[in-house]
């Protein structure tokens, strides 16, 4: 027994074409979203990898900086130091923490506090170790000495009690 074929009408062809078109548009949108997600994931993995490499190289940078401070600068040492700073900078490494900066506890680690009664805020007076960041990501706070008003005054300004 042969199946009876229904007549194909323009309306049924139009409906079938619309369904296939909608299916194709949906698959294309899903693929576009997938590509965007993969791109975002790759960027995130890259940022994490760069951050980990930079964090691992900070002791090397510190050693080179200490050597430059305490040893005569030879052309070879200067080239190594400049090349290291340049390459780390090209990866987005930024140093911060300068003498005279306002003390920011989110960026600075105060290792000493010197009282200066005429000061109205805490100020970095000596940078023992610079801080580093990549973009908005803090790799290491700057280790600094600060000078400013006595502790009770800046505790009051920060909204803390003086019971400590």
């Amino acid at each position: 027994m042969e199946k009876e074929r229904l007549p194909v009408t323009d309306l049924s062809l139009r409906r079938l074409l619309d369904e296939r078109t909608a299916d194709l548009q949906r698959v294309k949108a899903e693929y576009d979203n997938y590509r965007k997600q993969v791109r975002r994931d790759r960027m995130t993995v890259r940022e994490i990898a760069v951050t980990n490499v930079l964090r691992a190289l900070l002791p090397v940078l510190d050693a080179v900086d200490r050597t430059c401070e305490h040893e005569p600068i030879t052309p070879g040492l200067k080239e190594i130091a400049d090349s290291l700073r340049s390459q780390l900078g090209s990866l987005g490494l930024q140093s911060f923490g300068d003498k005279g900066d306002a003390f920011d506890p989110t960026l600075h680690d105060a290792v000493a506090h010197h009282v200066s009664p005429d000061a109205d805020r805490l100020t970095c007076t000596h940078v023992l170790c610079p801080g580093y960041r990549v973009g908005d990501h803090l790799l290491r706070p700057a280790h600094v000495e600060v000078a400013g008003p006595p502790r009770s005054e800046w505790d009051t300004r920060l909204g803390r009690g003086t019971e400590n």
Side-chain angles (χ1 to χ4, degrees):
M1 207 188 255
E2 229 176 275
K3 286 189 177 181
E4 188 175 316
R5 290 188 165 217
L6 296 174
V8 178
T9 65
D10 287 342
L11 184 59
S12 65
L13 280 176
R14 174 53 59 191
R15 188 174 28 234
L16 188 59
L17 179 62
D18 289 346
E19 287 176 12
R20 297 303 179 256
T21 302
D23 291 344
L24 184 59
Q25 288 172 339
R26 191 170 28 261
V27 169
K28 183 184 179 310
E30 288 173 2
Y31 181 68
D32 288 344
N33 289 337
Y34 170 76
R35 277 195 352 230
K36 290 175 189 174
Q37 181 64 43
V38 166
R39 189 176 305 125
R40 282 191 301 266
D41 291 349
R42 283 184 183 157
M43 290 303 296
T44 300
V45 167
R46 181 191 180 284
E47 289 171 9
I48 291 169
V50 167
T51 298
N52 289 339
V53 167
L54 291 175
R55 186 175 282 125
L57 289 174
L58 289 183
V60 176
L61 184 58
D62 290 339
V64 168
D65 286 343
R66 279 192 306 275
T67 302
C68 289
E69 287 176 11
H70 300 294
E71 298 292 329
I73 303 293
T74 63
L77 178 59
K78 180 177 179 353
E79 187 176 341
I80 289 170
D82 291 346
S83 178
L84 180 61
R85 287 187 193 101
S86 172
Q87 292 301 314
L88 295 178
S90 72
L91 291 173
L93 184 69
Q94 302 168 324
S95 68
F96 64 90
D98 293 317
K99 182 178 178 179
D101 285 351
F103 176 72
D104 181 349
T106 62
L107 299 176
H108 302 105
D109 184 14
V111 296
H113 174 233
H114 305 286
V115 175
S116 177
D118 56 332
D120 61 339
R121 64 185 174 109
L122 291 174
T123 305
C124 300
T125 56
H126 185 68
V127 179
L128 304 170
C129 187
Y132 293 98
R133 68 177 159 234
V134 176
D136 294 332
H137 186 75
L138 180 68
L139 295 178
R140 180 177 77 193
H143 299 257
V144 296
E145 291 182 8
V146 296
R151 181 178 169 114
S152 61
E153 290 182 31
W154 56 267
D155 274 344
T156 302
R157 287 190 188 117
L158 293 173
R160 299 179 185 153
T162 56
E163 62 276 353
N164 290 351

